[in-house]
Amino acid sequence: TLGVNITSMDIQSLDGNDINRIIMAMLGIDDDGLTTGLAEICHRRTLGNPFFVIEFVTMLEMEGLLSFNLGLLKWKWDEKLIEEQTMSTANVVDLLQARMKRLPDHLQELLQYAACLGAEFKISALETILNESTFRDGDTVVQGDIRKMLQRLSRGNFIEAFGTTSYRWMHDKIQEAALTFGLALEPSFQYDVGWILYCNLSGYQFEELLFDITNLINKGNFTQRPDFAKLNLRAAEKARRASAFHSASAYTTIGIKLLPDNKWTDHAILALKLYTLGAEMEVALGNADKVEMYVTEVLSQSHVSLLEKLPVYAAKSLKLSNIDLRHDEALSFLCQALVDFGYWVPRGIMQPFHVIRVLRRTVNAAKKRPISSYETPRLMTDPSHKAAMLFLSRIFYTSYFTGSKFLLVFSACQMVELTLNHGVSALSGQGYASLGMITNAVLGDFAMSSFLAETALAIQEAVQSKYLECQTVGIPCSFQAPFGCHLPLHSYIPDF
């Protein structure tokens, strides 16, 4: 869609011959027999990772185990000595840390601060941390130019410039190595870095580092911190906007744990937002038990209004129908929710008669409203009516799966009547399209069915929503197109 071609390459580990050729190239040697033994040691120590091979050979030179003899003009090494001296090198992280520990103290510390900021980090964020920290080289306080320090680390192949204001790690193992030795091993190190950023950044800078700040703050050992619960809510909302549902779920879980015991009295709005978002994310991830836990918690709060509970009602219905596949139970729950919100639902032996009466009444009322009136429609503003539209939309689809034909007809009619009486909502197009399908199937009135389908499309033009547009357009496609009705559907369907 964006005109970008992506090529995926699966890179396997190098074998001994590949590593031998790399070492020959690095050392300028043509005879492969001279470097076979060294290549075998490299392969055992690095398991064939190309980056690790280069790092291992670099470490050998720094340790004096590999050196260039100016008299003979060639490289020299002792394989037995290398074997003995590198036995304790379990992985590349050990190699990297050994190289880091040769740096001055303040550069080691700078690497560890940078490692807290993710795979890519801003120079300005590092400056903020250093301005609030005691930056030392041994016993001497360092107040040098951070850009020069970063350039030195770049020359050491730890990091590389990324644009004019940022740096990034040469390899993720370098970042890992920086976070697993020295100051970084102290329990409060990452939390302290997060706290500095939390207190000193604002606006765009804070939003840009929101995930990093939240992750660092969450390293702290504390409970009942509503301010940090709010921070996790903010991160969860950002993650949801990016469709990162697992991350959003993790942030809401931590945020809920950070709420104090009096959360529903002193922090009700924050608690409601966390539990609501948590329920929505668990529905998206299919975690039925957590959905039930969050929904039960909110529904049990008597001082929370029905409208405030609407998102968890929706989450509960989706959990029953989409995760548990208990459609009958979902339908019963939705009908009761509609009644709780003050709307009538036909039940009992008189249900068929009520529904047929409502169908004819609704079709006659819809017939009197010209399509042109929806070019600039009156919008539905009452939150209760909007809630009813949501419940009726879910009842329509759940009725289809349960075979509850009278509730299916009733829900479509009620969506249209609410639209006629109280204005257009985002779901009005779906209601009209559904009623058009029913009018064709139940009443056999194809002309009225086409009129309702055209009205649905006109409403959809006024209420822009790509998600709902798919549903609204899909229904006329299914029951009008097969009969040769020329609805303006081509404008909604892209050329494939």
Side-chain angles (χ1 to χ4, degrees), residues 175-340:
Q175 182 187 6
E176 179 186 337
L179 278 175
T180 50
F181 82 100
L183 280 175
L185 294 177
E186 296 180 11
S188 64
F189 177 77
Q190 293 188 52
Y191 167 77
D192 291 341
V193 173
W195 177 250
I196 290 171
L197 297 173
Y198 179 78
C199 294
N200 290 278
L201 296 184
S202 61
Y204 173 77
Q205 283 186 311
F206 191 99
E207 187 65 24
E208 191 177 30
L209 292 174
L210 177 59
F211 292 141
D212 292 318
I213 294 171
T214 307
N215 293 338
L216 292 167
I217 288 291
N218 288 342
K219 297 289 185 179
N221 183 20
F222 44 74
T223 57
Q224 301 197 27
R225 287 294 299 265
D227 52 340
F228 293 158
K230 188 174 182 179
L231 177 66
N232 276 274
L233 171 63
R234 186 172 171 181
E237 290 172 338
K238 183 176 181 179
R240 176 182 59 179
R241 291 193 296 272
S243 299
F245 299 139
H246 283 93
S247 296
S249 168
Y251 287 128
T252 54
T253 299
I254 295 172
I256 288 170
K257 289 179 180 178
L258 291 173
L259 290 170
D261 296 334
N262 61 349
K263 55 181 175 287
W264 290 111
T265 54
D266 292 355
H267 304 281
I269 295 176
L270 175 59
L272 181 63
K273 287 181 177 180
L274 280 167
Y275 275 96
T276 298
L277 181 55
E280 292 173 348
M281 292 303 96
E282 300 308 332
V283 166
L285 297 173
N287 297 327
D289 291 341
K290 292 192 75 172
V291 176
E292 189 65 31
M293 179 177 68
Y294 291 153
V295 168
T296 300
E297 176 75 18
V298 175
L299 294 183
S300 66
Q301 306 306 317
S302 58
H303 61 282
V304 178
S305 70
L306 282 174
L307 284 173
E308 290 174 324
K309 292 177 180 178
L310 177 61
V312 295
Y313 272 104
K316 172 85 170 183
S317 69
L318 288 172
K319 178 251 183 187
L320 291 171
S321 59
N322 295 3
I323 301 176
D324 299 338
L325 301 180
R326 287 147 50 191
H327 299 296
D328 288 317
E329 191 175 337
L331 182 58
S332 177
F333 174 80
L334 285 164
C335 288
Q336 185 57 51
L338 195 59
V339 171
D340 291 343

Side-chain angles (χ1 to χ4, degrees), residues 474-487:
I475 298 171
C477 279
S478 65
F479 75 87
Q480 295 289 340
F483 294 94
C485 181
H486 299 293
L487 293 174

Side-chain angles (χ1 to χ4, degrees), residues 144-161:
D145 185 343
I146 187 173
R147 292 180 182 272
K148 290 182 178 179
M149 299 179 200
L150 290 171
Q151 288 168 5
R152 182 172 174 183
L153 293 174
S154 179
R155 289 193 297 272
N157 291 321
F158 294 106
I159 58 176
E160 64 178 353

